[in-house]
Amino acid sequence: AYTASGRLLNIINDLLDIAKIEAGRMEVYPQPVLLGKLFADILPLARVQAQEKGLMLEMRPPADPQIAAWADPDKLRQILLNLIGNAIKFTERGRVTAGAHIDSRAGQVKITIQDTGIGIPLEKQGKLFQPFVQADGSPTRQYGGTGLGLSISRRLAEMMDGSLGLFSAGAGQGTTFTLALPMTRAEADPAPPRGAS
């Protein structure tokens, strides 16, 4: 009953989020978000899921502790928890790695979530960010979920002047999601980076 109620709550929250986004009523409040601190906050939550499946979980924050993403901290946490949770859910053995690096030319910080899981067939990758779409849509699919998480995550990323994409060589080849956001530094003037709103 506890597990079922938790899943129901997640479904309700996803439906409310997508409804707010579609209605243009979702608000974001960007500010500098230290990625090292964010990774440290997320690690204990994600580690429990990984340990339950016997997976290795590695978090690699930027080498510079002052590197920050210009983002809404709650929305960024929501995106990362969704991406890491998905990576763990769709990986039966191996590892999940979350890392962040700087793209100086683009003025962005790029966060990657990489897994050694089931991968995504090439013909399904283009549709995966659409609401209610899942890689395995068959009646006998093994994995649960609403198919809303990735759609919500991409829309939130775009609302923060960022982007969310994926790469998978195909079924059984694992998946890498890349979240790109405007980069800033925590000690700098809190004015938004050029091009951000």
Side-chain angles (χ1 to χ4, degrees):
Y2 177 80
T3 301
S5 63
R7 288 176 180 168
L8 180 58
L9 179 60
N10 288 336
I11 292 171
I12 292 171
N13 286 336
D14 283 349
L15 290 171
L16 290 173
D17 281 348
I18 200 70
K20 285 182 183 178
I21 290 171
E22 294 293 344
R25 300 182 66 178
M26 178 69 78
E27 300 288 340
V28 296
Y29 303 97
Q31 59 185 273
V33 181
L34 285 170
L35 294 179
K37 183 179 185 307
L38 180 63
F39 276 32
D41 290 343
I42 288 175
L43 179 58
L45 303 174
R47 182 186 284 147
V48 174
Q49 292 177 275
Q51 289 176 339
E52 287 176 350
K53 297 189 69 175
L55 302 175
M56 293 185 66
L57 174 64
E58 186 175 4
M59 306 286 279
R60 300 175 180 171
D64 185 343
Q66 296 303 313
I67 292 299
W70 185 258
D72 182 310
D74 292 332
K75 302 300 188 293
L76 178 52
R77 172 191 281 261
Q78 179 180 348
I79 293 171
L80 292 185
L81 285 174
N82 178 66
L83 294 178
I84 294 172
N86 273 356
I88 293 171
K89 179 168 69 172
F90 293 109
T91 301
E92 295 304 320
R93 61 180 62 88
R95 66 172 59 232
V96 172
T97 304
H101 67 277
I102 300 166
D103 184 343
S104 299
R105 293 185 62 183
Q108 292 180 321
V109 60
K110 293 187 175 179
I111 301 171
T112 57
I113 311 298
Q114 186 174 21
D115 66 60
T116 57
I118 64 173
I120 303 170
L122 298 177
E123 68 275 11
K124 295 184 178 181
Q125 292 180 22
K127 301 178 180 180
L128 206 57
F129 289 101
Q130 297 176 12
F132 303 106
V133 171
Q134 294 181 316
D136 180 7
S138 67
T140 58
R141 65 188 179 92
Q142 177 180 353
Y143 305 97
T146 61
L148 286 172
L150 289 179
S151 177
I152 291 170
S153 294
R154 172 174 273 185
R155 297 288 291 274
L156 291 176
E158 291 171 348
M159 291 173 69
M160 296 185 290
D161 294 317
S163 63
L164 177 61
L166 72 87
F167 171 79
S168 176
Q173 302 297 309
T175 306
T176 299
F177 284 89
T178 301
L179 172 65
L181 292 167
M183 182 186 71
T184 187
R185 294 182 65 85
E187 77 273 19
D189 188 322
R194 185 172 56 189
S197 58

